[in-house]
Amino acid sequence: MLCERLEAITTGLDQDRGGAEAIFRARGITRVATYDLRPLPIEVGVLSSEYDCASAGEHART
């Protein structure tokens, strides 16, 4: 089941990338910008309205 889900996600990403490349070509964009930055020296947490402290115990048990 996991392999099928990963395959579906990969297929979707490939299609999205192909669409983006077509838009780039249509607009004359031949190179994408790159940003060479070092990672932050600190760990940063992610806040989400779908995950709160009250339900943290529930998520840990499932």
Coordinates of all heavy atoms in Angstrom, one line a residue:
M1 N 0.8 -1.2 0.0 CA 0.0 0.0 0.0 C 0.9 1.3 0.0 O 0.6 2.2 -0.7 CB -0.9 0.0 1.2 CG -1.8 1.1 1.2 SD -3.1 0.9 2.5 CE -3.9 2.4 2.5
L2 N 1.9 1.3 0.8 CA 2.8 2.4 0.8 C 3.5 2.7 -0.5 O 3.5 3.8 -1.0 CB 3.8 2.3 1.9 CG 4.9 3.4 2.1 CD1 4.2 4.7 2.4 CD2 5.9 3.1 3.2
C3 N 3.9 1.6 -1.1 CA 4.6 1.7 -2.4 C 3.6 2.3 -3.5 O 4.0 3.2 -4.3 CB 5.1 0.4 -2.9 SG 6.5 -0.3 -2.0
E4 N 2.4 1.9 -3.5 CA 1.4 2.5 -4.4 C 1.2 4.0 -4.2 O 1.1 4.8 -5.1 CB 0.1 1.7 -4.3 CG 0.1 0.3 -4.9 CD 0.6 -0.7 -3.8 OE1 0.7 -0.4 -2.6 OE2 0.8 -1.9 -4.2
R5 N 1.1 4.3 -2.9 CA 0.9 5.8 -2.6 C 2.1 6.6 -3.0 O 2.0 7.7 -3.6 CB 0.7 5.9 -1.1 CG -0.7 5.4 -0.6 CD -0.9 5.5 0.9 NE -0.9 6.9 1.3 CZ -0.9 7.3 2.5 NH1 -0.8 6.4 3.5 NH2 -0.9 8.6 2.9
L6 N 3.3 6.1 -2.7 CA 4.5 6.8 -3.2 C 4.6 6.9 -4.7 O 5.0 7.9 -5.2 CB 5.8 6.1 -2.6 CG 6.0 6.2 -1.1 CD1 7.1 5.3 -0.7 CD2 6.2 7.6 -0.7
E7 N 4.2 5.8 -5.4 CA 4.2 5.9 -6.8 C 3.2 6.9 -7.4 O 3.5 7.7 -8.3 CB 3.8 4.5 -7.4 CG 3.9 4.4 -8.9 CD 5.4 4.6 -9.4 OE1 6.3 4.2 -8.7 OE2 5.5 5.1 -10.5
A8 N 2.0 7.0 -6.7 CA 1.0 8.0 -7.2 C 1.5 9.4 -6.9 O 1.4 10.3 -7.8 CB -0.3 7.8 -6.4
I9 N 2.2 9.6 -5.8 CA 2.7 10.9 -5.5 C 3.8 11.3 -6.5 O 3.9 12.4 -7.0 CB 3.3 11.0 -4.0 CG1 2.1 10.9 -3.0 CG2 4.1 12.2 -3.8 CD1 2.5 10.7 -1.6
T10 N 4.7 10.4 -6.8 CA 5.8 10.6 -7.7 C 5.3 10.9 -9.1 O 5.7 11.9 -9.7 CB 6.7 9.3 -7.8 OG1 7.3 9.1 -6.5 CG2 7.9 9.6 -8.8
T11 N 4.3 10.2 -9.5 CA 3.6 10.5 -10.8 C 3.1 11.9 -10.9 O 3.3 12.6 -11.8 CB 2.5 9.4 -11.1 OG1 3.1 8.1 -11.1 CG2 1.9 9.7 -12.4
G12 N 2.4 12.3 -9.8 CA 1.8 13.6 -9.7 C 2.9 14.7 -9.8 O 2.7 15.7 -10.4
L13 N 3.9 14.5 -9.0 CA 5.0 15.5 -9.0 C 5.7 15.6 -10.4 O 6.0 16.7 -10.9 CB 6.1 15.1 -8.0 CG 5.7 15.3 -6.5 CD1 6.7 14.7 -5.6 CD2 5.4 16.7 -6.2
D14 N 5.9 14.4 -11.1 CA 6.4 14.4 -12.4 C 5.5 15.2 -13.4 O 6.0 16.0 -14.2 CB 6.6 13.0 -12.9 CG 7.8 12.3 -12.2 OD1 8.6 13.0 -11.6 OD2 7.8 11.1 -12.3
Q15 N 4.2 15.0 -13.3 CA 3.3 15.8 -14.1 C 3.3 17.3 -13.8 O 3.4 18.1 -14.8 CB 1.9 15.2 -14.0 CG 1.7 13.8 -14.5 CD 0.3 13.2 -14.1 OE1 -0.4 13.8 -13.3 NE2 0.0 12.1 -14.8
D16 N 3.4 17.6 -12.6 CA 3.5 19.0 -12.2 C 4.7 19.7 -12.7 O 4.7 20.8 -13.2 CB 3.4 19.2 -10.7 CG 2.0 18.8 -10.1 OD1 1.0 18.8 -10.9 OD2 1.9 18.7 -8.9
R17 N 5.8 18.9 -12.6 CA 7.1 19.5 -13.0 C 7.1 19.7 -14.5 O 7.6 20.7 -15.1 CB 8.3 18.5 -12.7 CG 9.6 19.0 -13.1 CD 10.7 18.2 -12.6 NE 12.0 18.7 -13.1 CZ 13.1 18.2 -13.0 NH1 13.2 17.0 -12.5 NH2 14.2 18.7 -13.5
G18 N 6.5 18.7 -15.3 CA 6.4 18.8 -16.7 C 5.6 20.0 -17.1 O 5.9 20.8 -18.1
G19 N 4.5 20.3 -16.4 CA 3.7 21.5 -16.6 C 4.4 22.8 -16.4 O 4.3 23.7 -17.1
A20 N 5.2 22.8 -15.3 CA 6.0 24.0 -15.0 C 7.0 24.2 -16.0 O 7.2 25.4 -16.5 CB 6.6 23.8 -13.6
E21 N 7.7 23.2 -16.5 CA 8.7 23.3 -17.6 C 8.0 23.9 -18.8 O 8.6 24.7 -19.5 CB 9.4 22.0 -17.8 CG 10.3 21.6 -16.7 CD 10.9 20.2 -16.9 OE1 10.5 19.5 -17.8 OE2 11.8 19.9 -16.1
A22 N 6.8 23.4 -19.2 CA 6.1 23.9 -20.4 C 5.8 25.4 -20.2 O 6.0 26.2 -21.2 CB 4.9 23.1 -20.6
I23 N 5.4 25.8 -19.1 CA 5.1 27.2 -18.8 C 6.4 28.1 -18.9 O 6.4 29.1 -19.5 CB 4.5 27.5 -17.4 CG1 3.1 26.9 -17.4 CG2 4.4 28.9 -17.1 CD1 2.4 26.8 -16.0
F24 N 7.5 27.5 -18.4 CA 8.8 28.2 -18.5 C 9.1 28.4 -20.0 O 9.5 29.5 -20.4 CB 9.9 27.4 -17.8 CG 10.1 27.7 -16.3 CD1 9.0 28.0 -15.5 CD2 11.3 27.7 -15.8 CE1 9.1 28.3 -14.2 CE2 11.5 28.0 -14.4 CZ 10.4 28.3 -13.6
R25 N 9.1 27.4 -20.7 CA 9.5 27.5 -22.2 C 8.6 28.5 -22.9 O 9.0 29.3 -23.7 CB 9.4 26.1 -22.8 CG 10.6 25.2 -22.5 CD 10.6 24.0 -23.4 NE 9.4 23.1 -23.3 CZ 9.2 22.2 -22.4 NH1 10.1 21.9 -21.5 NH2 8.1 21.5 -22.4
A26 N 7.3 28.4 -22.6 CA 6.3 29.3 -23.3 C 6.6 30.8 -23.0 O 6.3 31.6 -23.8 CB 4.9 28.9 -22.9
R27 N 7.2 31.0 -21.8 CA 7.5 32.4 -21.4 C 8.9 32.8 -21.6 O 9.4 33.8 -21.2 CB 7.1 32.6 -19.9 CG 5.6 32.4 -19.8 CD 5.1 32.7 -18.4 NE 3.7 32.6 -18.3 CZ 3.0 32.6 -17.2 NH1 3.6 32.8 -16.0 NH2 1.7 32.4 -17.2
G28 N 9.7 31.9 -22.3 CA 11.1 32.2 -22.6 C 12.0 32.1 -21.4 O 13.1 32.6 -21.5
I29 N 11.6 31.4 -20.4 CA 12.5 31.2 -19.2 C 13.4 30.0 -19.5 O 12.9 28.9 -19.7 CB 11.7 31.1 -17.9 CG1 10.9 32.3 -17.7 CG2 12.6 30.8 -16.7 CD1 9.9 32.1 -16.5
T30 N 14.7 30.2 -19.5 CA 15.6 29.1 -19.8 C 16.4 28.5 -18.6 O 16.9 27.5 -18.7 CB 16.6 29.5 -20.9 OG1 17.3 30.6 -20.4 CG2 15.8 29.8 -22.2
R31 N 16.4 29.3 -17.5 CA 17.1 28.9 -16.3 C 16.3 29.3 -15.1 O 15.7 30.3 -15.1 CB 18.5 29.6 -16.3 CG 19.4 29.1 -17.4 CD 20.8 29.7 -17.3 NE 21.1 30.5 -16.1 CZ 21.9 31.5 -16.0 NH1 22.6 31.9 -17.1 NH2 22.2 32.1 -14.9
V32 N 16.4 28.5 -14.1 CA 15.7 28.8 -12.8 C 16.7 29.4 -11.8 O 17.9 29.1 -11.9 CB 15.0 27.6 -12.2 CG1 13.9 27.1 -13.1 CG2 16.0 26.5 -11.9
A33 N 16.3 30.2 -10.9 CA 17.1 30.8 -9.9 C 17.5 29.8 -8.9 O 16.7 28.9 -8.6 CB 16.4 32.0 -9.3
T34 N 18.7 29.9 -8.4 CA 19.1 29.0 -7.3 C 19.6 29.8 -6.1 O 20.1 31.0 -6.4 CB 20.2 28.0 -7.7 OG1 21.4 28.8 -8.2 CG2 19.8 27.1 -8.9
Y35 N 19.5 29.3 -5.0 CA 20.0 30.0 -3.8 C 20.9 29.1 -3.0 O 20.4 28.1 -2.5 CB 18.8 30.5 -2.9 CG 17.8 31.4 -3.7 CD1 16.7 30.8 -4.4 CD2 18.1 32.7 -3.8 CE1 15.9 31.7 -5.1 CE2 17.2 33.6 -4.5 CZ 16.1 33.0 -5.2 OH 15.3 33.8 -5.9
D36 N 22.1 29.4 -2.9 CA 23.1 28.6 -2.2 C 23.2 29.2 -0.8 O 24.0 30.1 -0.5 CB 24.4 28.6 -2.9 CG 24.3 28.0 -4.3 OD1 23.5 27.0 -4.4 OD2 24.9 28.5 -5.2
L37 N 22.5 28.7 0.2 CA 22.5 29.1 1.5 C 22.9 28.0 2.5 O 22.5 26.8 2.2 CB 21.2 29.7 1.9 CG 20.7 30.9 1.1 CD1 19.3 31.3 1.5 CD2 21.6 32.1 1.3
R38 N 23.5 28.3 3.5 CA 23.8 27.3 4.6 C 22.5 27.1 5.4 O 21.7 28.0 5.6 CB 24.9 27.8 5.5 CG 26.3 27.8 4.7 CD 27.4 28.2 5.6 NE 27.2 29.5 6.1 CZ 27.6 30.0 7.2 NH1 28.3 29.2 8.0 NH2 27.4 31.2 7.6
P39 N 22.3 25.9 5.9 CA 21.2 25.7 6.8 C 21.3 26.5 8.1 O 22.3 26.9 8.5 CB 21.2 24.2 7.1 CG 22.5 23.7 6.6 CD 23.1 24.7 5.8
L40 N 20.1 26.8 8.7 CA 20.1 27.5 9.9 C 20.8 26.7 11.0 O 20.7 25.5 11.1 CB 18.7 27.8 10.4 CG 17.8 28.7 9.5 CD1 16.4 28.7 10.0 CD2 18.4 30.1 9.6
P41 N 21.5 27.4 11.9 CA 22.3 26.6 12.9 C 21.3 26.2 14.1 O 21.8 25.7 15.1 CB 23.3 27.6 13.4 CG 22.7 29.0 13.1 CD 21.9 28.8 11.9
I42 N 20.1 26.5 14.0 CA 19.1 26.2 15.0 C 18.0 25.3 14.4 O 17.7 25.4 13.2 CB 18.5 27.4 15.7 CG1 17.8 28.3 14.7 CG2 19.6 28.2 16.4 CD1 17.0 29.4 15.2
E43 N 17.3 24.6 15.3 CA 16.2 23.8 14.8 C 14.9 24.6 15.0 O 14.7 25.3 16.0 CB 16.1 22.5 15.7 CG 15.0 21.6 15.2 CD 15.1 20.3 16.0 OE1 16.2 19.8 16.3 OE2 14.0 19.7 16.2
V44 N 14.1 24.6 14.0 CA 12.9 25.5 14.0 C 11.7 24.6 13.9 O 11.6 23.7 13.0 CB 12.9 26.4 12.7 CG1 11.6 27.3 12.7 CG2 14.1 27.3 12.8
G45 N 10.7 24.8 14.8 CA 9.5 24.0 14.8 C 8.5 24.6 13.9 O 8.6 25.7 13.4
V46 N 7.5 23.8 13.5 CA 6.5 24.2 12.6 C 5.2 24.3 13.4 O 4.8 23.4 14.1 CB 6.3 23.2 11.4 CG1 5.2 23.6 10.5 CG2 7.6 23.1 10.7
L47 N 4.5 25.4 13.3 CA 3.2 25.6 13.9 C 2.1 25.3 12.9 O 2.2 25.7 11.8 CB 3.1 27.1 14.4 CG 4.1 27.5 15.4 CD1 3.9 29.0 15.8 CD2 4.1 26.7 16.7
S48 N 1.1 24.7 13.4 CA -0.1 24.3 12.6 C -1.4 24.5 13.3 O -1.4 24.1 14.5 CB 0.1 22.9 12.0 OG -1.1 22.5 11.4
S49 N -2.4 25.0 12.7 CA -3.7 25.2 13.4 C -4.3 23.8 13.5 O -5.3 23.6 14.3 CB -4.6 26.1 12.6 OG -4.8 25.6 11.3
E50 N -3.9 22.8 12.8 CA -4.5 21.5 12.9 C -3.8 20.6 13.9 O -4.2 19.5 14.2 CB -4.4 20.8 11.5 CG -5.2 21.5 10.5 CD -5.3 20.7 9.2 OE1 -5.1 19.5 9.2 OE2 -5.6 21.4 8.2
Y51 N -2.8 21.1 14.6 CA -2.1 20.3 15.6 C -1.9 21.2 16.8 O -1.2 22.2 16.7 CB -0.8 19.8 15.1 CG 0.0 18.9 16.1 CD1 -0.3 17.6 16.1 CD2 0.9 19.5 16.9 CE1 0.4 16.8 17.0 CE2 1.6 18.7 17.8 CZ 1.3 17.3 17.8 OH 2.0 16.5 18.7
D52 N -2.5 20.9 17.9 CA -2.4 21.8 19.1 C -1.9 20.9 20.3 O -1.9 19.7 20.2 CB -3.6 22.6 19.4 CG -4.8 21.7 19.6 OD1 -4.7 20.5 19.8 OD2 -6.0 22.2 19.7
C53 N -1.5 21.6 21.3 CA -1.0 20.9 22.5 C -2.1 20.0 23.1 O -1.7 18.9 23.6 CB -0.6 21.9 23.6 SG 0.9 22.9 23.0
A54 N -3.3 20.4 23.1 CA -4.4 19.5 23.7 C -4.5 18.2 23.0 O -4.8 17.2 23.6 CB -5.7 20.3 23.6
S55 N -4.2 18.1 21.7 CA -4.4 16.9 21.0 C -3.0 16.2 20.8 O -3.0 15.1 20.2 CB -5.0 17.1 19.6 OG -4.2 17.9 18.8
A56 N -2.0 16.7 21.4 CA -0.6 16.1 21.2 C -0.6 14.7 21.7 O 0.0 13.8 21.1 CB 0.4 17.0 21.8
G57 N -1.2 14.4 22.8 CA -1.3 13.1 23.4 C -2.0 12.1 22.5 O -1.6 11.0 22.4
E58 N -3.0 12.6 21.9 CA -3.8 11.7 21.0 C -2.9 11.3 19.8 O -2.9 10.1 19.4 CB -5.0 12.4 20.4 CG -6.1 12.6 21.5 CD -7.3 13.3 20.9 OE1 -7.5 13.2 19.7 OE2 -7.9 14.0 21.6
H59 N -2.2 12.2 19.2 CA -1.3 12.0 18.1 C -0.2 11.0 18.5 O 0.2 10.2 17.7 CB -0.7 13.3 17.5 CG -1.8 14.1 16.9 ND1 -2.4 13.8 15.7 CD2 -2.3 15.3 17.2 CE1 -3.3 14.7 15.4 NE2 -3.2 15.7 16.3
A60 N 0.3 11.2 19.7 CA 1.4 10.3 20.1 C 1.0 8.9 20.3 O 1.8 8.0 20.1 CB 2.0 10.9 21.4
R61 N -0.3 8.7 20.6 CA -0.8 7.3 20.9 C -1.2 6.6 19.6 O -1.3 5.4 19.6 CB -1.9 7.3 21.8 CG -1.5 7.7 23.2 CD -2.6 7.5 24.2 NE -3.8 8.4 24.0 CZ -3.9 9.6 24.6 NH1 -3.0 10.0 25.4 NH2 -4.9 10.3 24.3
T62 N -1.5 7.3 18.5 CA -2.0 6.7 17.3 C -0.8 6.3 16.4 O 0.3 6.6 16.5 CB -2.9 7.6 16.5 OG1 -2.2 8.8 16.2 CG2 -4.2 7.9 17.4

